[in-house]
Amino acid sequence: EVALENIDVNVDKVPMALCLVSMMQKQKSAKPLVVLFDSGSSHTWLNQKALPKGCVPMKVDAVSSRTLAGTLNSNLSVEMERLVFPEFFKIRFIDSVEARVFQTLC
């Protein structure tokens, strides 16, 4: 999830899009996500509040990354499967993406 309260997306030209994810950690995911594209990022980050019910992240080696929202740290990861960006392609999808789970307010 992205906090949009302080961003005027019509003026600031924020590189973001809608993303539909079929499964997270083998749990059905029905909530559409707003994603922020960051070409300088080393990881894909996902707010814990966006996890579907029953989704249990895997414990992995800890990583940290500096973002516009501050420094994010995580030792949790989820596998997202069948990602679709309908604003670009309605029938093409990405097989899977690993996302680090963070719990910080953004």
Side-chain angles (χ1 to χ4, degrees), residues 7-83:
I7 300 172
D8 184 345
V9 295
N10 295 316
V11 173
D12 295 333
K13 306 290 188 231
V14 176
M16 61 186 213
L18 179 69
C19 180
L20 305 175
V21 178
S22 294
M23 307 281 278
M24 285 191 208
Q25 291 299 102
K26 307 297 183 197
Q27 299 294 317
K28 288 190 186 256
S29 174
K31 181 190 277 187
L33 304 173
V34 176
V35 297
L36 176 65
F37 296 110
D38 181 358
S39 63
S41 179
S42 58
H43 296 86
T44 298
W45 293 94
L46 181 72
N47 192 313
Q48 184 176 18
K49 295 185 286 186
L51 296 176
K53 186 174 184 171
C55 180
V56 179
M58 298 179 297
K59 289 198 177 199
V60 292
D61 291 337
V63 297
S64 68
S65 182
R66 291 180 60 177
T67 70
L68 293 174
T71 300
L72 300 178
N73 301 294
S74 176
N75 67 339
L76 300 174
S77 176
V78 294
E79 181 183 10
M80 301 186 298
E81 298 178 68
R82 290 192 62 96
L83 291 81

